Amino acid sequence: MIGRLENSLPPAVTKSTLYRVVGWLFRAYVASLVILGVYSLLWVLELAGVLPGRWLSTAWIGIAAMGSIFLILLAPLYYAARSTDR
């Protein structure tokens, strides 16, 4: 089965490249599960009356702020990593 996949990809794509891509996708999947799990726990605690409603909105604002900072830093870091001036 893996032979068909290897034959359909260009020679520049090796098994290690595929393993790295799958590894990063798995890390992103696990990170999203953790974030959703924490948010769901906060939501349940808010519904149960243990946490005030402001904490839930604070968590969303924090997640949005971290995502924004990541996107702001992503472009310069990407171009610095691809730069040939070292």
Side-chain angles (χ1 to χ4, degrees), residues 1-9 15:
M1 174 150 168
I2 193 77
R4 277 191 310 195
L5 180 61
E6 285 178 350
N7 295 335
S8 65
L9 295 171
K15 281 186 183 179

Side-chain angles (χ1 to χ4, degrees), residues 1-85:
M1 174 150 168
I2 193 77
R4 277 191 310 195
L5 180 61
E6 285 178 350
N7 295 335
S8 65
L9 295 171
V13 177
T14 62
K15 281 186 183 179
S16 60
T17 305
L18 291 175
Y19 289 139
R20 283 191 191 115
V21 169
V22 170
W24 279 107
L25 290 175
F26 182 70
R27 287 181 187 122
Y29 174 72
V30 169
S32 65
L33 285 181
V34 169
I35 290 171
L36 287 174
V38 169
Y39 179 75
S40 298
L41 177 66
L42 290 174
W43 184 71
V44 168
L45 290 175
E46 191 261 332
L47 281 180
V50 177
L51 292 176
R54 280 190 253 156
W55 284 35
L56 198 58
S57 61
T58 304
W60 266 119
I61 290 171
I63 290 170
M66 286 188 296
S68 300
I69 290 170
F70 174 75
L71 289 176
I72 289 169
L73 293 176
L74 183 66
L77 289 173
Y78 175 76
Y79 287 113
R82 296 194 40 96
S83 173
T84 57
D85 303 330

